[in-house]
Amino acid sequence: MLQIRVIAPGEYSDRISELLCEDPAVSNVTVYRGASMKPEGDVIEADIAREGANEVIDALRELDIHRFGTIHLGQVPIWISEKGLEAERVTPGASADAVVWAEVTQKAYDDSEFNWIFASFMVLATLLAAIAIVLDSSILLIGAMVLGPEFGAVAALGVALVRRRMTLLGRALLTLVGGFTLSIVATTIAALIARGLGWVTETDVTEARPDTAFIYTPDKWSFIVAVVAGVAGVLSLTSSRLGGLSGVFISVTTIPAAGNVALGLAFGLREEIVGSSLQLVVNLSGMAVAGWMTLAVQQVIWTRVSAYRARLLAGREPGHRWQREP
């Protein structure tokens, strides 16, 4: 269940209230006349089944509410309502499967912003990965992979392509390129300092590393794992039941590959640089393609669900309670 709150000029209130009250996916509607001071107007709140949210948001956008006021959408963690249960029951689709595009797009913009926090986590994760490689420690490597924040920007690439948001596409690409460039440069500098102090030698990087050798030896399985992880990651982001996202971070060797590139640069090891760079490109490409395909399939499915719901609404008589077909 979601709660939608609309702040709009008073002249829009009746149309908004009518729109919400007539939609079977909406279970409760409350109007506060003159409650908003900035912008001046009314506040309308409603509870809505998650699987019916896209159509309501699109209808509100058609009224240009987002230009004159605000549309808020939030998750209701706990709700007890027979009317709410009825709204979910009669709305086509399943709540856990529903993709609320406004929510997904907002998260894509947030996660693809290149800011201090993103850059810091990228640098710290890559530094930790480099230490893990030197020590040949799979435990440290897993920690570095979980710490890396790059998946949000990778997923944003798919959202941008599916929703045709070229600004978001450019933002995500710049964030990924900038994040990996900064983290590799910072880790290379740290590796040069460690080399100068004698803490790390070339042998530490080139000797047999059974637990971390996969980082610079990409193969078909690297791409397959990236694809599987990309699908799982996008499903975790779009579903109301989050879970498994940490598993995606642990599965894909983007951060470790960046750490190994930095070590290769510090010691002038061409094989390490080339192999790890290829691993990085393969993994990022696999996740990006898988994310885009997953979102494209979800869009097709929910477009059909929306069309089915529209047909049910069109055939519904005023005051009639309709049910979805078994």
Side-chain angles (χ1 to χ4, degrees), residues 5 8 12 22 29 101 104 177 188 227 230 240 263 292 317:
R5 183 176 67 174
Y12 287 88
E22 289 184 351
V29 179
W101 290 110
V104 173
V177 172
T188 301
V227 168
S240 62
L263 288 172
W292 166 69
E317 297 177 1

Side-chain angles (χ1 to χ4, degrees), residues 54-97:
N54 287 323
E55 292 82 356
V56 172
I57 294 172
D58 289 343
L60 291 172
R61 287 179 63 89
E62 288 178 2
L63 293 175
D64 284 337
I65 300 302
H66 59 294
R67 300 184 184 279
F68 307 113
T70 306
I71 303 170
H72 290 175
L73 196 66
Q75 183 75 34
V76 179
I78 300 173
W79 54 276
I80 304 172
S81 171
E82 289 190 6
K83 291 184 179 295
L85 185 62
E86 175 69 9
E88 283 200 339
R89 189 178 68 82
V90 302
T91 305
S95 178
D97 296 336

Side-chain angles (χ1 to χ4, degrees), residues 122-253:
M122 285 293 292
V123 171
L124 292 172
T126 308
L127 284 169
L128 188 58
I131 295 172
I133 292 167
V134 170
L135 299 178
D136 195 29
S137 171
S138 57
I139 294 177
L140 286 178
L141 201 64
I142 290 173
M145 294 161 83
V146 173
L147 194 60
E150 77 281 4
F151 182 77
V154 175
L157 296 176
V159 176
L161 291 173
V162 170
R163 303 302 290 175
R164 299 179 181 178
R165 302 291 182 92
M166 293 303 104
T167 300
L168 176 60
L169 181 65
R171 176 188 177 113
L173 285 172
L174 287 175
T175 296
L176 285 171
V177 172
F180 277 106
T181 300
L182 177 63
S183 62
I184 290 172
V185 169
T187 304
T188 301
I189 294 172
L192 287 171
I193 294 173
R195 180 184 181 182
L197 294 173
W199 294 356
V200 181
T201 65
E202 183 174 328
T203 303
D204 294 326
V205 182
T206 58
E207 66 181 356
R209 292 185 274 129
D211 290 337
T212 57
F214 64 92
I215 293 172
Y216 58 91
T217 54
D219 55 19
K220 61 180 181 295
W221 295 110
S222 300
F223 185 77
I224 292 171
V225 169
V227 168
V228 173
V231 172
V234 167
L235 290 177
S236 295
L237 290 174
T238 58
S239 173
S240 62
R241 297 179 183 176
L242 294 178
L245 197 54
S246 59
V248 172
F249 301 147
I250 297 171
S251 301
V252 186
T253 56

